[in-house]
């Protein structure tokens, strides 16, 4: 919100020498954030004066243009020229070349004399052009930075002005004014007006405040005005879209009259461009009082005005010349022909005020913030009116705002006020809040006196009544955000001063620390980081194709996914069912930045919808839903397990002298998965697996001993890697972390270390080619008995010496006893038992 200082001074005691920075510094004390300063004199400086064209000679040029050689008086006749800058004629008459043709002899214009600087750092000086010494410039509104019209120079009579020659044009056009821009938070909607900011300035400085609404006398109506009916019975959460509609009529309006410079200057500083007198009056009143208005061409209306919900399929051409299809929850203003405006957002083109309008119907209504906000978002149609309505508008100021508009139309547009008036609907009831004695002091930690509390609330505009045990406070109509006692305490703390609140270090309450799951998650994440992987975070959004690829192991199966109602990107319109798509996108981005060796991991939620998703209705606001309703909401939420994933490509280390880095392969992904299990003390069972996103034959299925599936690890499918422009040996793994946390023991007990020596023996077994090595390894483990400490596959061979359709698997077996040194015979016996088990189950033959 931009606050012109000249406007603010009408209602608050702002010192004459105060700058915009000074005003913002005071407003910060009451919680309004400073944004920027808007000062025309930062880009424009004089001498810029009122001049009168004495003569005008048209001179055709060889380039086809016709210029005007003008003699312009810039000081009153008979008075000396007091300006002495080079190029300023002491006679008070300047010779100026001008290419515009919209003025004649005798017109009063704005003259920028040598020494002036215009916006764009355009310095004015005497220069020779078209055979003349042109000492100055006759300016247009664009050159002065006060408008966009560049068709001709500014003739002051078109603004209804007849100033004295030589007077300061910058003061005439309001260019010495300045504006302070503040950020208005959603709960401070009343500060979207000069009225609200003036009240806050008075709070901040301890000075008096003059309410502009209090200075407006609304005359008693002689009878009912334009017929208006409120017929809205489809409000969101049973709240009507409109509860009050005030209308007044002004006849005999001359809509072609110019907007006076003082009004145009204030609107411009407030961030609005001047459009026409009638529209400018509407905007001026809105900025002054905070009540958005809408003006209708009364002669264009057809029958009664009805405030209602739109019917399905109804259309409306809005003031921006776009035809919009309305929604059944849109609140509309309608007459006999149908909708003529989206209530509180934008009016319709059919009833727009134009240059031929003579009868104006003024609308000052109070609309539901919810209804306006939804219509604004639904139609992507932000406006100054909707910005105020969706945050809350003072329902009591509608009469005063309509009357203020009437007075300005009468004064500036020559209209005549109709003595009838419309006031349909009922005024909302103000909030009544009980504030217990001492509650503010207990909540804030400051010893506020009862007198201080009452005075502060009274200054706020509230009605305060003493009752047993405290105060009963009726919130002012312009503060719809005050609903509970904590709101009042916040205002007390703000207005008395945040600097009065002592800085105390709170004592940490006793607790039990992190939960079991939190501890497990932190251990896993830290362990992966310690192992050299880098943690990343990616968006939880995925495309339908990504969910189809990673959400199920088998291609062609339907994957249930949560579709977003309003996605950030149409391409990624679903919540992820796997964590790998985001990790792969991160890997691809890093590869494009030149990273050739990468190992990243992420822990995040995935979203797996069940049979029920969502609820048929949203519970009403303002009351706690019942347990049954909450259970229904919970039942409609998708399952959201925590998954841990990792993606690796390149090498495990940078090249170095005397060291050859190892290239990442499927075993690297398997090692990361096993590391997660080791950290949690959970044994992860590895078996041959298959997944459409992974390489056939290089994919491991990961599970618990109980058979519960955990995820996959291995090398990604070559076609997928080609589509993603990733290296050919990119590997990945994904685990259901919640299942791992559940399976983990509360306490991981380390096994005792044996001090007795190790006995190692190798065995090579020939089996059928389709036998899975992992199954053979597991059989050896079980067959060897308790003396076996570890077994590992170290070679797979197919070739000369091995029968066709067979393969040789070589395993290293490590034996150790906890209480003695093993003999060679004991180790050999265990090895023989393991080989026998493999032979029995797979027909394995020892080489």
């Amino acid at each position: 919100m931009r606050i012109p200082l000249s406007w603010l001074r009408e209602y608050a005691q702002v010192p004459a020498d105060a700058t915009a920075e000074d005003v913002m510094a005071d407003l910060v004390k009451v919680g309004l954030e400073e944004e920027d300063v808007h000062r025309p004199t930062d880009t424009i400086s004089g001498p810029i004066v009122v001049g009168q064209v004495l003569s005008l000679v048209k001179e055709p040029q060889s380039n086809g243009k016709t210029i005007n050689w003008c003699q312009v008086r810039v000081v009153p006749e008979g008075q000396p020229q007091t300006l002495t800058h080079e190029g300023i004629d002491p006679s008070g008459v300047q010779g100026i070349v001008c290419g515009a043709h919209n003025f004649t002899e005798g017109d009063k214009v704005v003259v920028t004399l040598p020494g002036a600087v215009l916006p764009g750092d355009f310095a004015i000086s005497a220069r020779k052009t078209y055979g003349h010494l042109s000492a100055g410039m006759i300016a247009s509104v664009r050159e002065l930075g006060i408008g966009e019209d560049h068709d001709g120079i500014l003739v002051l009579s078109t603004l209804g002005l007849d100033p004295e020659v030589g007077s300061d044009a910058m003061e005439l056009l309001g260019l010495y004014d300045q504006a302070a821009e503040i950020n208005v938070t959603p709960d401070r909607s009343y500060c979207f007006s000069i009225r609200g900011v003036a009240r806050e300035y008075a709070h901040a400085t301890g000075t008096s405040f003059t309410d502009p609404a209090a200075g407006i006398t609304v005359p008693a109506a002689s009878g009912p005005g334009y017929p208006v009916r409120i017929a809205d019975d489809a409000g969101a959460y049973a709240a009507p879209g409109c509860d009050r509609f005030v209308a007044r009529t002004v006849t005999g309006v001359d809509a072609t009259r110019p907007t006076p410079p003082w009004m145009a200057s204030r609107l411009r500083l407030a961030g609005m461009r001047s459009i026409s007198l009638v529209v400018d009056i509407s905007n001026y009143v809105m900025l002054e009082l905070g009540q958005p208005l809408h003006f209708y061409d009364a002669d264009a209306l057809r029958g009664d005005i009805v405030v209602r919900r739109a019917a399905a399929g109804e259309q409306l051409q809005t003031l921006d010349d776009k035809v919009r299809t309305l929604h059944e929850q849109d609140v509309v203003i309608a007459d006999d022909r149908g909708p003529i405006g989206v209530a509180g957002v934008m009016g319709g083109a059919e009833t727009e005020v134009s240059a031929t309008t003579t009868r104006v119907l003024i609308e000052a209504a109070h609309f539901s913030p919810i209804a306006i906000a939804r219509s604004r978002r639904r139609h992507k149609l932000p406006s100054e009116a909707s910005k105020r309505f969706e945050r809350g508008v003072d329902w009591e100021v509608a009469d005063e705002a309509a009357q203020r508009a009437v007075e300005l139309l009468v004064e500036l547009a020559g209209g005549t006020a109709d003595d009838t008036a419309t006031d349909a609907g009922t005024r909302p009831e103000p909030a009544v809040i009980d504030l217990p004695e001492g509650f503010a002091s207990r909540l804030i930690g400051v010893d506020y006196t009862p007198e201080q509390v009452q005075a502060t609330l009274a200054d706020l505009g509230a009605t305060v009544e003493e009752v047993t045990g405290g105060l009963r406070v009726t919130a002012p109509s312009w503060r719809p955000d005050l609903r509970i006692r904590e709101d009042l305490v916040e205002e007390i703390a703000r207005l008395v001063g945040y600097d009065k609140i002592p800085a105390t270090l709170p004592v940490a309450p006793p607790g039990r620390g992190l939960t079991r799951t939190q501890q497990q998650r932190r251990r896993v994440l830290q362990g992966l980081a310690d192992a050299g992987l880098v943690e990343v975070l990616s968006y939880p959004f995925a495309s339908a194709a990504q969910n189809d690829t990673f959400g199920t192991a088998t291609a062609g199966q339907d994957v249930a996914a949560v579709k977003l109602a309003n996605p950030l990107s149409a391409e990624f319109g679903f919540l992820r069912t796997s964590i790998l798509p985001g990790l792969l996108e991160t890997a691809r981005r890093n590869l494009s930045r030149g990273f050739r060796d990468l190992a990243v991991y992420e822990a995040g939620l995935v979203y797996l919808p069940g049979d029920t998703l969502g609820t048929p209705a949203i519970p009403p606001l303002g009351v706690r839903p019942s347990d049954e309703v909450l259970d229904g909401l919970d039942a409609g939420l998708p399952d959201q397990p925590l998954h841990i994933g990792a993606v690796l490509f390149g090498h495990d280390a940078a090249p170095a002298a005397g060291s050859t880095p190892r290239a990442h392969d499927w075993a690297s992904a398997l090692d990361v998965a096993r590391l997660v299990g080791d950290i949690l003390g959970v044994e992860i069972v590895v078996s041959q697996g298959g997944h459409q996103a992974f390489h056939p034959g290089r994919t491991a299925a990961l599970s618990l001993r109980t058979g519960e599936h955990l995820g996959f690890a291995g090398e990604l499918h070559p076609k997928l890697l080609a589509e993603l422009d990733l290296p050919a040996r990119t590997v990945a793994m994904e685990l259901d972390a919640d299942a791992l946390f559940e399976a983990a023991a509360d306490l991981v007990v380390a096994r005792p270390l044996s001090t007795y020596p190790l006995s190692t023996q190798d065995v090579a077994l020939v089996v059928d080619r389709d036998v899975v090595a992992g199954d053979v390894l597991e059989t050896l483990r079980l067959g060897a008995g308790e003396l076996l400490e570890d077994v590992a596959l170290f070679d797979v061979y197919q070739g000369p010496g091995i029968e066709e359709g067979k393969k040789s698997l070589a395993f290293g077996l490590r034996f150790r006893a906890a209480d003695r040194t093993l003999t060679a015979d004991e180790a050999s016996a265990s090895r023989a038992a393991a080989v026998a088990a493999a032979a029995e189950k797979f027909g394995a033959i020892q080489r």
Side-chain angles (χ1 to χ4, degrees):
M1 176 69 185
R2 298 183 183 182
I3 314 297
L5 264 56
S6 64
W7 205 348
L8 184 63
R9 286 189 177 97
E10 292 187 9
Y11 308 115
Q13 294 183 338
V14 181
D17 59 349
T19 63
E21 291 86 350
D22 297 332
V23 170
M24 288 194 297
D26 287 324
L27 292 175
V28 164
K29 299 176 185 176
V30 289
L32 294 173
E33 301 174 9
E34 57 185 0
E35 286 286 332
D36 202 356
V37 170
H38 301 272
R39 187 182 291 115
T41 53
D42 289 341
T43 59
I44 185 171
S45 61
I48 302 176
V49 300
V50 174
Q52 186 170 30
V53 180
L54 300 180
S55 65
L56 182 153
V57 178
K58 294 185 179 296
E59 298 181 354
Q61 304 296 311
S62 59
N63 60 5
K65 293 178 61 177
T66 298
I67 59 99
N68 297 311
W69 171 238
C70 307
Q71 299 297 312
V72 185
R73 179 175 296 282
V74 293
V75 296
E77 188 173 4
Q79 294 187 15
Q81 174 60 274
T82 58
L83 301 175
T84 58
H85 194 279
E86 182 180 354
I88 296 180
D89 197 310
S91 68
V93 176
Q94 297 290 124
I96 299 175
V97 172
C98 183
H101 301 282
N102 65 320
F103 64 102
T104 61
E105 294 177 357
D107 283 341
K108 290 183 178 180
V109 294
V110 175
V111 180
T112 58
L113 295 173
V117 178
L118 296 180
D121 200 24
F122 179 48
I124 303 299
S125 61
R127 60 191 181 93
K128 191 166 185 178
T129 179
Y130 293 108
H132 300 283
L133 182 66
S134 181
M137 186 175 75
I138 305 174
S140 69
V141 293
R142 178 181 290 183
E143 290 161 341
L144 294 170
I146 61 174
E148 296 299 322
D149 184 10
H150 196 57
D151 294 337
I153 57 94
L154 173 60
V155 178
L156 294 175
S157 61
T158 62
L159 301 180
L161 299 175
D162 186 21
E164 182 181 8
V165 172
S167 58
D168 190 342
M170 290 183 63
E171 181 176 1
L172 180 72
L173 299 174
L175 295 177
Y176 290 126
D177 201 358
Q178 54 186 300
E181 184 175 358
I182 58 173
N183 179 39
V184 180
T185 54
D187 61 328
R188 308 279 291 279
S189 59
Y190 61 97
C191 287
F192 277 116
S193 66
I194 301 298
R195 179 194 186 202
V197 175
R199 180 182 282 108
E200 290 300 311
Y201 184 84
H203 290 325
T205 57
T207 55
S208 62
F209 158 68
T210 302
D211 189 349
I216 300 172
T217 302
V218 180
S222 63
Y226 200 95
V228 174
R229 290 186 297 110
I230 299 177
D232 174 23
D233 55 359
Y237 308 126
C242 175
D243 47 33
R244 190 177 184 213
F245 194 106
V246 173
R248 296 286 302 277
T249 304
V250 179
T251 60
V253 171
D254 183 0
T256 62
R257 289 193 183 185
T259 300
W262 60 268
M263 179 178 285
S265 171
R266 287 182 173 180
L267 290 173
R268 184 173 61 251
L269 272 176
M272 290 187 171
R273 62 187 182 93
S274 177
I275 299 174
S276 66
L277 176 60
V278 177
V279 175
D280 290 350
I281 288 174
S282 172
N283 289 332
Y284 188 85
V285 175
M286 177 183 67
L287 291 173
E288 185 172 72
L289 298 178
Q291 168 68 56
L293 302 177
H294 186 70
F295 289 178
Y296 300 91
D297 185 335
D299 292 326
L301 294 172
R302 301 289 182 267
D304 297 356
I305 286 179
V306 181
V307 185
R308 58 171 174 83
R309 299 285 167 155
E314 281 190 309
Q315 291 187 325
L316 170 68
Q317 182 178 357
T318 48
L319 291 174
D320 57 0
D321 292 328
K322 293 183 179 180
V323 177
R324 303 179 185 275
T325 300
L326 302 176
H327 188 273
E328 293 178 6
Q329 281 296 318
D330 286 331
V331 181
V332 297
I333 313 298
D335 63 4
D336 289 350
R337 87 194 84 186
I340 57 174
V342 181
V345 179
M346 186 174 286
E350 288 185 308
T351 57
E352 179 182 8
V353 173
S354 66
T356 60
T357 298
T358 58
R359 292 178 63 232
V360 175
L361 180 68
I362 301 167
E363 168 202 304
H366 184 258
F367 298 109
S368 163
I370 295 176
I372 302 307
R374 289 185 171 181
S375 290
R376 190 263 301 170
R377 294 189 186 99
R378 189 178 293 123
H379 297 290
K380 297 180 176 60
L381 191 59
S383 65
E384 289 293 328
S386 66
K387 180 167 67 176
R388 288 162 173 80
F389 277 127
E390 66 184 76
R391 289 165 173 81
V393 169
D394 181 4
W395 61 81
E396 291 287 358
V397 82
D399 290 317
E400 289 78 6
Q403 178 61 26
R404 175 71 163 144
V406 167
E407 293 173 356
L408 289 173
L409 285 172
V410 170
E411 176 186 354
L412 303 177
T416 302
D418 192 316
D419 56 6
T420 62
T422 301
D423 192 347
T426 58
R427 303 168 192 244
E429 291 294 328
V432 179
I433 309 164
D434 287 329
L435 183 66
E437 184 177 354
F439 180 74
S441 298
R442 293 193 300 272
L443 193 61
I444 302 298
V446 177
D447 189 17
Y448 298 115
T449 65
E451 295 76 19
Q452 197 174 23
V453 170
Q454 289 197 43
T456 302
L457 294 175
D459 287 344
L460 191 67
T463 303
V464 183
E465 176 188 359
E466 292 188 28
V467 296
T468 303
L471 302 174
R472 179 158 294 160
V473 182
T474 302
S477 57
W478 58 85
R479 294 299 303 271
D481 58 304
L482 301 181
R483 286 290 177 264
I484 57 177
R485 58 188 181 180
E486 285 79 6
D487 294 335
L488 298 179
V489 173
E490 182 182 357
E491 291 301 297
I492 293 169
R494 182 176 69 88
L495 296 183
V496 173
Y498 293 130
D499 57 326
K500 303 295 192 299
I501 302 175
T504 57
L505 186 64
V507 178
R512 299 179 180 178
L514 300 176
T515 66
R516 174 177 177 270
T517 301
Q518 289 171 333
Q519 292 174 349
Q520 291 170 328
R521 175 172 176 165
R522 291 195 179 191
R523 287 206 312 272
V524 169
L525 296 183
Q526 186 61 51
L528 291 175
D530 293 341
L533 284 80
V534 177
E535 185 178 9
V536 297
L537 294 175
S538 58
Y539 287 117
F541 312 125
S543 66
Q546 288 174 332
N547 280 338
D548 289 342
T549 300
F550 293 94
T552 178
T554 306
Q557 286 189 352
D558 292 334
V559 177
V562 179
K563 182 172 175 49
L564 298 170
N566 187 23
L568 294 177
S569 167
E571 180 182 0
F572 301 101
F574 295 84
L575 289 176
R576 65 189 177 192
T577 57
S578 166
I579 206 166
L580 289 181
L583 271 173
L584 291 173
E585 182 61 33
T586 300
R588 183 169 70 166
R589 189 179 304 112
N590 280 272
L591 179 66
S592 69
R593 301 296 191 272
F595 290 89
R596 295 295 178 261
D597 303 313
L598 192 75
V600 294
Y601 73 99
E602 179 179 3
L605 301 179
V606 298
Y607 305 86
L608 310 175
D611 295 334
T612 302
L613 184 61
T615 54
I618 300 175
L621 301 177
V623 295
R624 182 188 183 278
S626 66
D627 292 340
E628 292 76 11
V629 172
L630 292 176
D631 290 342
L633 292 174
D634 287 339
L637 295 176
D639 186 22
Q640 301 173 48
L642 179 73
H643 279 206
I644 294 176
V647 170
L648 305 91
F649 62 70
H651 296 81
D652 61 356
S659 173
T660 302
R662 173 182 172 274
H664 287 304
D665 58 12
W666 62 267
S668 302
L670 200 56
D671 288 342
V672 174
R674 283 174 168 154
L675 175 61
V676 174
D678 291 343
I679 293 172
L680 296 172
V682 177
E683 182 182 359
I684 295 180
V685 178
V686 180
S687 60
Q688 183 71 41
H691 192 289
Q692 60 174 325
F694 285 80
H695 193 298
R698 298 177 188 173
T699 305
L702 309 175
S703 60
L704 296 172
R705 278 289 172 190
T706 60
E708 184 178 353
H709 179 72
L710 292 176
F712 293 93
E715 184 178 314
L716 292 171
H717 200 288
K719 289 184 178 179
L720 176 65
L721 296 177
E723 291 175 3
L724 297 176
D725 293 325
L726 285 172
R729 289 292 182 262
T730 300
V731 298
M733 78 89 194
E734 182 171 12
L735 289 170
D736 185 341
D738 281 350
L740 277 171
F741 295 158
E742 183 67 26
D746 291 337
L747 182 64
V748 179
V749 180
R751 291 182 299 175
L753 296 176
S754 174
T755 59
Y756 293 95
L758 180 72
S759 177
T760 303
Q761 296 194 20
D762 296 338
V763 62
L765 301 175
V766 177
V767 296
D768 292 338
R769 184 178 295 177
D770 58 354
V771 173
V772 177
D775 294 341
V776 178
L777 184 147
E778 188 64 22
T779 301
L780 292 173
R781 185 192 306 278
L782 295 174
E786 62 181 11
L787 294 180
L788 181 67
E789 184 178 82
D790 190 29
V791 58
L793 175 72
F794 66 83
D795 184 52
V796 178
Y797 174 71
Q798 300 177 67
I802 302 297
E803 184 182 347
E804 183 69 24
K806 303 284 187 178
K807 63 182 176 181
S808 173
L809 304 176
F811 298 91
L813 291 79
R814 300 184 353 174
F815 300 98
R816 193 194 314 257
D819 57 350
R820 68 190 187 280
T821 299
L822 287 179
T823 65
D825 290 341
E826 288 178 311
S828 296
S830 292
R831 173 180 175 275
V835 171
E840 180 181 354
K841 187 170 184 178
F842 301 107
I845 300 173
Q846 186 174 346
R847 288 183 66 189

